[in-house]
């Protein structure tokens, strides 16, 4: 997917506000903005006049916020919101590291990899606890298990949850990454390579994976929810330190979107179908069966526990320059729960 930027126009923001009013989720009602955000909004004095943030089909809450103009409603006319599409966790991490966005959404494993390699990011909110990765083969494939991948070619996007899902799956099956030929392809290109016969398997990601099942008859030969990490909303340390008011506004918007999405799963699925260009039945499967949005937005022990399980796999993969020491330091410093705690307390 190409990167897209746009400014939400007032008409869309108004329409989003009307929808939020209809569902009882406007700011100041069921999901009240934090004191610091409210003070900035009241004075009209935000720390910056721009905010760059991503949206992604693997992050349904970002789609709700963007479509309904929730952030624009909180920030008013004094802050221009720039929306940038992330095609995968690796792309979101690249955008964060380059300073192209202030806030971006990734899988927890991808965030840990990025921080371990020196990217100054922290998780400020949890947007989901998904089962979004699996090992996928074509409809007529003879591959029936992970063990059968030995000597085969597998498409995977390095630095993302599907890649780490593949590593963990291989380890469980008594194999290593050296036992397969990994083709480093972006998620959509991985599906195309599988359907085109240029790879034997694909470490897939929803909603692309769910669409592949329906449209191409592709099969998920291995699933394991424990190998999927949480959906992390990350910000750079510079943004957190110098623009705490905007960081709080973002997390407040996510908490509003979470409440709306949980109350309106059909509308959330319809929005995902529209943005991702997939069938509504596929989107419904992703939202209702593979995306647990009903999870605390406060990052903490639950996420660290999951990351500690994949840390050895990350170290052994050779993808971290400083090895175990770098991963351990990242684990100790990746969480910043301040904003989510305030947002949840304000509900």
């Amino acid at each position: 997917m190409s990167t897209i930027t746009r400014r939400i126009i007032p008409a869309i923001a108004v329409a989003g506000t009307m929808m939020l009013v209809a569902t009882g989720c406007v700011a100041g009602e069921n999901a009240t903005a934090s004191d610091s955000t409210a003070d900035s909004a009241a004075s009209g004095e935000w720390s910056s006049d721009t905010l760059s943030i991503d949206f992604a089909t693997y992050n349904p809450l970002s789609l709700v916020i963007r479509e309904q103009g929730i952030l624009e409603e909180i920030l008013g006319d004094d802050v221009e919101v720039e929306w940038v599409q992330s095609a995968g966790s690796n792309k979101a991490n690249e955008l964060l590291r380059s300073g192209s966005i202030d806030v971006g959404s990734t899988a927890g494993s991808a965030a840990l990899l990025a921080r371990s390699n020196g990217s100054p990011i922290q998780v400020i909110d949890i947007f989901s606890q998904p089962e979004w990765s699996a090992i996928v083969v074509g409809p007529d494939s003879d591959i029936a298990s992970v063990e059968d991948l030995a000597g085969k070619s597998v498409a995977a996007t390095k630095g993302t949850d599907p890649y780490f899902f593949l590593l963990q799956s291989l380890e469980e099956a008594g194999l290593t990454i050296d036992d397969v030929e990994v083709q480093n392809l972006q998620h959509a290109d991985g599906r195309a390579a599988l359907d085109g016969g240029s790879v034997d398997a694909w470490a897939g990601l929803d909603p692309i994976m769910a669409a592949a099942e329906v449209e191409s008859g592709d099969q998920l030969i291995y699933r394991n929810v424990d190998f999927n990490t949480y959906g992390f909303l990350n910000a750079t340390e510079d943004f957190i330190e110098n623009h705490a008011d905007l960081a709080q506004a973002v997390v407040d918007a996510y908490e509003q979107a979470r409440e709306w999405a949980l109350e309106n799963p059909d509308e959330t699925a319809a929005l995902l179908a529209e943005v991702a260009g997939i069938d509504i039945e596929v989107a419904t499967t992703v939202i209702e069966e593979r995306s647990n949005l009903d999870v605390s937005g406060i990052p903490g022990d639950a996420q660290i526990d999951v990351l500690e399980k994949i840390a050895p796999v990350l170290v052994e993969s050779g993808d971290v320059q400083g090895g175990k020491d770098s991963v351990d330091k990242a684990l100790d410093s990746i969480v910043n729960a301040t904003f989510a705690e305030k947002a949840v307390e304000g509900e």
Side-chain angles (χ1 to χ4, degrees):
M1 294 184 185
S2 61
T3 299
I4 301 172
T5 62
R6 69 170 181 146
R7 174 75 167 97
I8 302 271
I9 61 175
I12 295 178
V14 171
T17 303
M18 292 295 289
M19 185 176 295
L20 287 171
V21 170
T23 57
C25 294
V26 292
E29 196 165 318
N30 288 345
T32 305
S34 68
D35 291 341
S36 60
T37 304
D39 290 344
S40 295
S43 65
E45 297 180 356
W46 297 94
S47 60
S48 175
D49 58 7
T50 60
L51 169 65
S52 296
I53 185 171
D54 81 341
F55 69 99
T57 56
Y58 54 85
N59 178 358
L61 297 186
S62 71
L63 307 183
V64 173
I65 295 169
R66 176 175 175 263
E67 176 65 20
Q68 297 187 1
I70 298 176
L71 257 178
E72 289 78 5
E73 180 69 18
I74 293 173
L75 298 173
D77 295 330
D78 296 313
V79 180
E80 180 178 351
V81 180
E82 181 186 45
W83 289 97
V84 182
Q85 185 166 10
S86 292
S89 294
N90 61 322
K91 295 300 182 183
N93 276 326
E94 290 173 10
L95 291 167
L96 283 164
R97 188 152 196 164
S98 68
S100 299
I101 58 174
D102 303 307
V103 183
S105 41
T106 74
S109 58
L112 179 61
L113 173 63
R115 187 163 180 91
S116 297
N117 279 324
S119 181
I121 60 170
Q122 290 184 308
V123 52
I124 58 174
D125 192 66
I126 301 300
F127 61 80
S128 69
Q129 183 187 17
E131 185 193 4
W132 53 19
S133 303
I135 304 299
V136 189
V137 299
D140 301 318
S141 176
D142 293 331
I143 298 173
S145 67
V146 177
E147 287 83 356
D148 294 337
L149 292 178
K152 305 295 185 181
S153 59
V154 184
T157 310
K158 287 190 175 182
T160 70
D161 237 25
Y163 177 69
F164 293 112
F165 185 95
L166 173 63
L167 292 182
Q168 293 175 89
S169 301
L170 290 171
E171 182 181 52
E172 184 181 63
L175 303 174
T176 71
I177 198 68
D178 294 329
D179 292 313
V180 299
E181 177 193 345
V182 175
Q183 292 199 21
N184 184 22
L185 299 172
Q186 203 60 47
H187 303 299
D189 296 330
R191 179 198 169 178
L194 178 64
D195 290 346
S198 58
V199 296
D200 300 303
W202 167 47
L205 179 74
D206 276 335
I208 302 169
M209 183 172 68
E213 287 182 271
V214 174
E215 297 168 359
S216 304
D218 292 341
Q219 307 172 67
L220 309 188
I221 62 163
Y222 185 69
R223 298 170 64 177
N224 189 331
V225 66
D226 293 334
F227 286 177
N228 294 258
T229 58
Y230 286 78
F232 277 30
L233 187 70
N234 308 306
T236 62
E237 290 180 343
D238 176 75
F239 181 74
I240 291 170
E241 180 179 353
N242 296 309
H243 305 290
D245 56 342
L246 295 179
Q248 190 64 63
V250 170
V251 176
D252 289 345
Y254 263 84
E255 289 310 308
Q256 291 186 43
R258 188 192 315 278
E259 185 174 340
W260 186 88
L262 290 173
E263 293 178 354
N264 299 274
D266 293 342
E267 290 85 347
T268 304
L271 179 57
L272 174 61
E274 178 184 357
V275 178
I278 57 179
D279 186 84
I280 185 61
E281 292 184 5
V282 174
T284 299
T285 296
V286 172
I287 294 299
E288 295 187 356
E289 297 181 19
R290 299 182 186 171
S291 299
N292 178 16
L293 303 177
D294 191 12
V295 62
S296 173
I298 302 174
D301 291 343
Q303 289 72 43
I304 293 300
D305 287 346
V306 173
L307 294 182
E308 285 178 341
K309 292 179 182 178
I310 71 164
V313 178
L314 188 60
V315 172
E316 292 170 10
S317 71
D319 292 326
V320 177
Q321 296 174 357
K324 185 176 184 301
D325 287 344
S326 293
V327 174
D328 288 344
K329 289 179 181 178
L331 281 170
D332 289 339
S333 58
I334 196 169
V335 169
N336 188 325
T338 305
F339 305 103
E341 288 172 348
K342 289 181 179 178
V344 171
E345 288 172 1
E347 291 182 351

